[in-house]
């Protein structure tokens, strides 16, 4: 017997998520909801808790159908019934879209689904119809369901085109209030101890919530959206630069659903404000490396002008000071700062600043087993910069596109970097089978009456291992500044292509893992910005650490290929061949090695080209940003 889900009415601390689900329950044409957040934030619990409420107000149970990550297109949309086909009949076997009709289609980790599957389920969710045109099957059937996708943003984003097609978006976080967290734990433990008693305790709240949905559904068509509120919505979308008008439409529908849930006959300003972030948060243009849009949603609703800053408080009246009790001692809370040297203007105490040039990475000669911990420290405040080091801001440059390619097809996880022909790739055709083939195309085999196998094609994500020279010579002619600019462009590209990124820096004293694989890319971008130049060029140490990182990640995720990109001016003597030997070892671990030569000026050593040759890789020059 399936255990009852945790009641939606008992969820605490995720009010915005519950509201988004209720809006979709009232107005399915809103288009579903995308829930983004870390693990353990009640995403799945809330989705599963909604299904019983929908069943309570329907003539039949509302199904909750989950799409597994390993689902194929046939499993999702349906295909030929193999058993009937063996008996000589062509009978369509419905897929998950058909099973979800009248209920909820739930996709956990939707960002990890292949794009062609996401396209298919979004098409069906928008039209209410699922169409199958393949393998001599042409079928169309109703598929009206509420689409709910959940995802962990640290594991990669959806393409903007797919983000926009989800009606509402919610970013969930664990509550900061210890009392709220305690209540969450208390309710969860009580539910696990005696689910039946807990369900009975929350039965009246669940029934009230179901009745509220039913009443809102009944009166939704009569809810009026006044022209004033419609112009408020469209004006805000225009000021925010929202692409297309889908956001305007969804926002309007969500505001009407909120009014219906409140039992109101007309949408008012509170309903427009209540639906604003749900309809627009995932549609706003945002820099994936940590930048935020300039204009806030509330500011856009208020006409585009942010509220003025509150005035600075007046300074306190001068009065007696000192330990006599007549006033606070100098430097105490509320006291004015002490005068500067010579009795002049007050001297401000210097506080640490994230943008201060007195920040630096420190050499780390720890083993590869400790490298992950070092990468997790990226983005924290760093120690004082080594003597002679400089902090260069990024300058415009780019890594050549040919330095980011893998020639052969792989079998790695879904992404958009390189070609893949693995078992998880989409089937695009079939061919006659040989004795060694195991990937049988069943439908094609039945039609041809001979064994045939799938021809698969798709794209995979890779591990980009970036090895960056941060030695003193890279400060000349602003070489590291240009490398930083190129790396920022590359991080945005890696974000879009679902690559994992590791960054190794070598300079003052040694090599260290600056960014561990899997680190959020906004933290990787911050670490790149803060990287200074200084010291000698421990090139061999940097290459050796890169090989260690690739070896460890290959053991953890064997199917993901490693692409090593080394950025250096090569201005180091290598008479014993240590750097070339380390490059050869790196070439054995990586699927491809590309060396980006940043050396310029009239005198060149040319070591970068020999490194590429030793690694069996390719040699490129850093290019301008154009």
């Amino acid at each position: 017997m399936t255990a009852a889900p945790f009641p939606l009415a008992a969820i605490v601390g995720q009010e915005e998520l519950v509201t988004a689900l209720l809006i979709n329950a009232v107005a399915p044409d809103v288009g579903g909801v995308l829930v983004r957040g870390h693990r353990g934030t009640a995403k799945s619990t809330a989705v599963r808790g909604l299904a019983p409420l929908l069943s309570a107000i329907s003539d039949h149970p509302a199904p909750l159908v989950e799409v597994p990550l390993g689902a194929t297109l046939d499993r999702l949309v349906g295909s030929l019934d193999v058993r009937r086909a063996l008996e000589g009949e062509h009978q369509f076997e419905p897929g998950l879209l058909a099973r979800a009709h009248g209920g909820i289609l739930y996709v956990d980790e939707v960002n990890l689904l292949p794009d062609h599957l996401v396209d298919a389920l979004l098409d069906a969710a928008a039209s209410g119809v699922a169409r199958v045109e393949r393998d001599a099957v042409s079928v169309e059937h109703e598929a009206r369901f509420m689409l709910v996708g959940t995802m962990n943003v640290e594991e990669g984003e959806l393409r903007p085109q797919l983000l926009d097609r989800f009606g509402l978006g919610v970013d969930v976080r664990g509550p900061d209030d210890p009392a709220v967290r305690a209540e969450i734990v208390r309710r969860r433990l009580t539910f696990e101890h005696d689910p039946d008693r807990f369900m009975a305790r929350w039965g009246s709240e669940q029934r009230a919530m179901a009745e509220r949905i039913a009443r809102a559904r009944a009166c939704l068509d009569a809810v009026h959206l006044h022209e004033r509120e419609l112009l408020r919505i469209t004006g805000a979308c225009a000021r925010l630069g929202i692409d297309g008008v889908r956001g305007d439409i969804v926002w309007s529908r969500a505001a009407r659903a909120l009014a219906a849930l409140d039992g109101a006959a007309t949408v008012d300003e509170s309903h427009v404000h209540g639906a604003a972030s749900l309809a627009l948060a995932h549609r706003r243009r945002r820099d994936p490396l940590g930048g935020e849009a300039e204009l806030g949603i509330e500011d856009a609703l208020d006409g585009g002008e942010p509220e003025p800053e509150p005035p600075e408080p007046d300074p306190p009246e001068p009065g007696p000071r000192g330990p006599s009790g007549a006033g606070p001692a100098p430097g105490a809370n509320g006291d004015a700062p002490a005068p500067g040297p010579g009795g002049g203007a007050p001297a401000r105490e210097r506080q640490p600043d994230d943008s201060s040039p007195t920040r630096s990475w420190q050499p780390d000669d720890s083993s590869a087993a400790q490298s992950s911990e070092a990468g997790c420290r990226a983005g924290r405040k760093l120690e004082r910069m080594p003597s002679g080091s400089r902090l260069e801001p990024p300058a415009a440059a780019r890594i050549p596109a040919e330095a980011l390619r893998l020639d052969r097809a792989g079998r790695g996880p879904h992404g958009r970097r390189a070609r893949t022909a693995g078992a998880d790739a989409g089937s695009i055709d079939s061919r006659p089978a040989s004795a060694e083939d195991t990937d049988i195309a069943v439908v094609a085999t039945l039609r041809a009456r001979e064994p045939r196998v799938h021809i698969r094609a798709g794209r995979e994500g890779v591990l980009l291992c970036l090895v960056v020279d941060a030695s003193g010579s890279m400060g000349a002619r602003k070489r590291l500044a240009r490398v930083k600019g190129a790396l920022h462009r590359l991080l945005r590209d890696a974000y879009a292509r679902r690559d994992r990124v590791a960054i190794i820096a070598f300079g003052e004293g040694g090599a260290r893992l600056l960014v561990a694989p899997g680190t959020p890319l906004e933290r990787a971008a911050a670490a790149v910005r803060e990287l200074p130049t200084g010291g000698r060029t421990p090139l061999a140490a940097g290459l050796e650490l890169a090989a260690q990182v690739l070896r460890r990640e290959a053991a953890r995720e064997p199917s993901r290929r490693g692409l090593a990109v080394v950025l250096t001016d090569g201005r180091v003597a290598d008479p014993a061949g240590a750097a070339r030997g380390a490059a050869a070892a790196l070439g054995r671990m990586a699927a491809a090695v590309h060396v980006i030569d940043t050396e310029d000026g009239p005198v060149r050593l040319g070591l970068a080209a020999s490194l590429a040759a030793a690694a069996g890789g390719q040699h490129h020059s850093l290019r301008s940003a154009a």
Side-chain angles (χ1 to χ4, degrees):
M1 181 177 177
T2 304
F6 191 90
L8 186 66
I11 289 179
V12 62
Q14 299 295 356
E15 289 76 14
E16 194 173 49
L17 171 56
V18 173
T19 299
L21 293 173
L22 294 180
I23 288 172
N24 275 275
V26 171
D29 59 353
V30 164
V33 58
L34 176 66
V35 188
R36 302 185 293 187
H38 297 281
R39 295 181 180 88
T41 49
K43 301 189 299 291
S44 301
T45 300
V47 175
R48 295 189 174 97
L50 179 63
L53 296 179
L54 298 182
S55 298
I57 59 177
S58 304
D59 297 332
H60 54 81
L64 172 62
V65 177
E66 299 191 32
V67 178
L69 278 180
T72 62
L73 186 60
D74 286 345
R75 185 77 182 96
L76 184 68
V77 302
S79 65
L80 200 65
D81 186 322
V82 176
R83 183 178 61 82
R84 296 285 187 88
L86 291 172
E87 297 172 355
E89 300 179 35
H90 278 217
Q91 179 67 38
F92 177 71
E93 181 180 14
L96 297 175
L97 298 181
R99 287 179 49 198
H101 182 59
I104 302 171
L105 186 70
Y106 174 44
V107 190
D108 193 17
E109 306 293 357
V110 64
N111 52 319
L112 302 182
L113 271 186
D115 286 346
H116 67 284
L117 295 187
V118 180
D119 278 323
L121 64 88
L122 286 172
D123 283 340
S127 64
V129 175
R131 297 177 179 86
V132 183
E133 299 283 350
R134 56 180 300 179
D135 293 328
V137 176
S138 179
V139 176
E140 182 177 295
H141 62 82
E142 280 193 302
R144 300 189 182 279
F145 50 80
M146 180 197 303
L147 175 63
V148 182
T150 58
M151 57 180 282
N152 184 341
V153 292
E154 291 188 356
E155 295 175 347
E157 271 282 13
L158 283 170
R159 286 187 289 129
Q161 299 92 325
L162 299 179
L163 275 175
D164 180 64
R165 292 176 64 183
F166 277 94
L168 304 182
V170 181
D171 292 316
V172 295
R173 300 173 181 83
D176 297 325
D177 188 342
V180 175
R181 298 175 77 99
E183 182 61 18
I184 292 171
V185 174
R186 191 178 298 115
R187 292 186 186 185
R188 188 71 209 184
L189 294 178
T190 304
F191 172 74
E192 292 173 353
H193 176 69
D194 193 341
D196 293 337
R197 184 176 180 182
F198 189 85
M199 295 296 291
R201 156 67 183 84
W202 286 93
S204 59
E205 286 84 352
Q206 283 284 95
R207 288 189 294 272
M209 187 175 278
E211 290 167 2
R212 185 185 179 202
I213 295 172
R215 287 193 302 268
R217 280 184 171 184
C219 71
L220 178 62
D221 290 341
V223 173
H224 177 61
L225 177 62
H226 194 277
E227 186 71 11
R228 178 184 63 254
E229 301 306 327
L230 176 59
L231 290 175
R232 189 192 303 274
I233 289 171
T234 56
C237 287
R239 284 186 284 272
L240 290 167
I242 301 298
D243 293 329
V245 295
R246 184 178 283 121
D248 310 55
I249 294 170
V250 168
W251 190 354
S252 302
R253 289 171 175 167
R256 292 180 68 240
L258 280 179
L261 284 165
D262 286 347
T266 304
V267 174
D268 63 25
E269 185 177 350
S270 68
H271 303 129
V272 171
H273 279 264
S277 64
L278 297 175
L280 299 186
H282 61 302
R283 290 187 167 88
R284 300 189 63 198
R285 296 188 184 119
R286 185 178 72 87
D287 185 348
L289 302 189
E292 297 292 337
E294 294 181 1
L295 185 63
I297 293 176
E298 292 299 319
D299 293 333
L301 276 167
D302 292 337
E305 294 295 330
E307 294 184 4
E309 293 281 341
E312 291 286 338
D314 293 332
E317 293 292 330
R321 307 282 183 215
S324 62
N333 242 359
D335 192 10
R348 289 188 178 180
E349 181 179 347
R350 292 186 63 85
Q351 298 292 334
D353 183 352
D354 285 355
S355 61
S356 169
T358 61
R359 293 162 57 89
S360 168
W361 62 274
Q362 289 295 303
D364 184 1
D365 57 356
S366 57
S367 66
Q370 297 169 313
S371 296
S372 181
E373 179 185 353
C376 291
R377 293 196 297 268
R380 295 183 186 176
K381 279 187 176 285
L382 302 171
E383 301 299 329
R384 182 169 298 277
M385 183 183 297
S387 174
S389 295
R390 296 189 305 173
L391 190 64
E392 297 279 2
R398 66 183 177 90
I399 293 173
E402 55 267 27
L404 300 171
R405 293 180 183 145
L406 288 168
D407 294 332
R408 298 184 301 276
R411 295 178 176 271
H414 297 297
R416 304 186 189 100
R417 172 68 60 188
R419 293 179 297 113
T420 179
D424 292 336
S427 174
I428 60 173
D429 204 344
S430 65
R431 62 172 175 79
S434 65
E436 297 81 18
D437 288 325
T438 58
D439 189 14
I440 302 298
V442 177
V443 174
T445 296
L446 292 171
R447 291 182 58 200
R449 299 182 182 275
E450 66 173 3
R452 297 185 68 85
V453 293
H454 292 290
I455 297 176
R456 298 186 181 274
R459 310 291 291 181
E460 66 173 353
V462 302
L463 170 62
L464 284 177
C465 185
L466 308 176
V467 189
V468 183
D469 186 345
S471 62
S473 63
M474 287 291 288
R477 305 172 68 93
K478 296 190 179 297
R479 290 171 186 149
L480 186 59
R482 295 177 63 231
V483 166
K484 288 182 179 183
L487 288 178
H488 272 272
R489 290 173 65 113
L490 177 55
L491 289 176
R492 287 188 175 88
D493 184 66
Y495 177 89
R497 296 179 186 271
R498 298 183 185 173
D499 294 325
R500 290 168 67 88
V501 175
I503 302 180
I504 292 166
F506 58 92
E508 180 77 13
R512 66 164 291 185
L513 182 60
L514 191 70
V515 174
T519 299
L521 293 187
E522 60 267 24
R523 288 174 55 191
V528 168
R529 284 193 296 270
E530 296 163 359
L531 182 63
T533 59
R536 296 180 179 274
T537 309
L539 177 55
L543 300 176
E544 289 167 0
L545 181 55
Q548 292 172 17
V549 170
L550 289 176
R551 184 179 299 109
R552 186 183 68 245
E553 292 302 307
R556 179 182 302 167
E557 196 175 14
S559 65
R560 187 184 292 269
R561 293 189 286 175
L563 174 60
V565 180
V566 182
L567 300 102
T568 181
D569 59 9
R571 300 186 74 81
V572 59
D574 189 37
R580 287 185 287 271
L586 178 60
R588 290 190 292 271
M589 288 305 307
V593 176
H594 296 271
V595 180
I596 312 299
D597 191 351
T598 65
E599 190 177 29
D600 51 16
V603 179
R604 304 191 182 194
L605 300 181
L607 179 60
S610 62
L611 286 178
Q618 298 182 27
H619 174 246
H620 313 270
S621 296
L622 194 63
R623 296 181 180 174
S624 64

